[in-house]
Amino acid sequence: MTEAAAITTVMRALADPTRRAVFERVVGADEISVAELTRGSGVTQGAISQHLKSLKQAGLVVERPEGRNVYYRAQPDGLTPLVDWMSHYGVFWRERFANLRTLLKDIDP
């Protein structure tokens, strides 16, 4: 997957608020099953499974089957494309703010 495609995939996966909430619950647990994620979520088990499928395709979670259950855990490296993209633009904005600070000091010493 190209870098641009990876960023797009991660952003699309996290753009949905329900999917983001599922991801946050997975991150907050060592491992968690679909049944546990469904409990108290107000979303059907089928919907949770679809959200997990998207998160897995984006490389944000990994699964571990055990008997009839599948357990999910966060895959921290899955966020790397997004972190790299944000770091690139973080430098851009820091430079712009530094230039603005200098300009404002020149205008009003």
Side-chain angles (χ1 to χ4, degrees), residues 15 19 26 35 37 49 51-52 61 64 76 79 82 85 88 91-92 101 107:
R19 192 172 303 126
V26 172
L37 285 166
S49 293
H51 287 303
L52 287 166
V61 299
R64 181 183 62 83
L79 290 171
L82 183 59
W85 185 83
H88 171 77
V91 170
F92 170 82
R101 188 177 304 115
I107 293 171

Side-chain angles (χ1 to χ4, degrees), residues 18 21-22 25-26 29 31-49 52 69-71:
T18 303
V22 169
R25 288 194 59 202
V26 172
E31 278 191 330
I32 192 165
S33 68
V34 175
E36 291 173 285
L37 285 166
T38 303
R39 232 176 275 126
S41 69
V43 180
T44 66
Q45 186 169 341
I48 293 290
S49 293
L52 287 166
N69 294 314
V70 179
Y71 294 90

Side-chain angles (χ1 to χ4, degrees), residues 79-100:
L79 290 171
T80 300
L82 183 59
V83 170
D84 292 346
W85 185 83
M86 290 174 60
S87 295
H88 171 77
Y89 283 98
V91 170
F92 170 82
W93 284 112
R94 277 190 293 281
E95 289 174 3
R96 297 305 182 272
F97 285 128
N99 292 342
L100 178 60

